[in-house]
Amino acid sequence: MDSYNRLAKSSVIFAIGNIGSKLIYILLVPLYTYYLSTAQYGTVDLIITTLSLLIPIFTFSIFDAVLRFSLDNSFDRKLILAQGLTITIIGFLISLLMYPIFIWVFPFEQYLIYLYILLFFQSINNTLLQFARAIGK
């Protein structure tokens, strides 16, 4: 019965975190639209949408593997985290090689540096979040 209580508690915490992040987004949208023009807000939205498409491609969705294998006690968690971060960084370096293509494809070339900054930090963040979730933090 203890495992069911733990599952219920974890599910509630996960739901609160998920709903909380969406509530923050809903509360920030009026702020964004007040200070940004329609074109600027569209550019921000396009960058964020592009980022959500690129992260799984260039990180090879390694954060899902970090979660899966960190939950299994038969694997070395430190090694899993190190390999996950290494693959994430390699994917980011591959994305840097794609810079000339990105300039040609994406309509926001003056903001491409911000896309790369967000790509790097969100990729690292996703890997660390999944590892923290796997070890129960």
Side-chain angles (χ1 to χ4, degrees), residues 7-63:
L7 175 64
K9 181 181 170 186
S10 297
S11 297
V12 168
I13 290 171
F14 181 73
I16 289 170
N18 197 8
I19 292 170
S21 67
K22 289 181 183 6
L23 269 172
I24 290 171
Y25 182 75
I26 288 171
L27 294 174
L28 287 176
V29 167
L31 183 69
Y32 294 153
T33 55
Y34 180 77
Y35 286 105
L36 299 174
S37 69
T38 305
Q40 290 171 330
Y41 185 71
T43 302
V44 169
D45 190 44
L46 184 61
I47 290 171
I48 291 171
T49 302
T50 303
L51 190 64
S52 67
L53 174 72
L54 293 179
I55 285 176
I57 293 171
F58 287 112
T59 62
F60 312 108
S61 290
I62 195 67
F63 42 85

Side-chain angles (χ1 to χ4, degrees), residues 1-12:
M1 192 55 126
D2 184 48
S3 62
Y4 290 116
N5 289 335
R6 185 172 175 222
L7 175 64
K9 181 181 170 186
S10 297
S11 297
V12 168

Side-chain angles (χ1 to χ4, degrees), residues 50-64 66 81 83-93 95 114-131:
T50 303
L51 190 64
S52 67
L53 174 72
L54 293 179
I55 285 176
I57 293 171
F58 287 112
T59 62
F60 312 108
S61 290
I62 195 67
F63 42 85
D64 290 331
V66 167
L81 179 61
Q83 289 176 345
L85 290 173
T86 301
I87 291 172
T88 299
I89 291 170
I90 289 170
F92 177 73
L93 295 174
S95 75
Y114 300 115
L115 178 85
Y116 274 107
I117 291 168
L118 287 169
L119 179 67
F120 178 75
F121 285 112
Q122 283 194 355
S123 298
I124 297 293
N125 185 43
N126 286 345
T127 304
L128 293 175
L129 280 174
Q130 295 294 45
F131 181 74

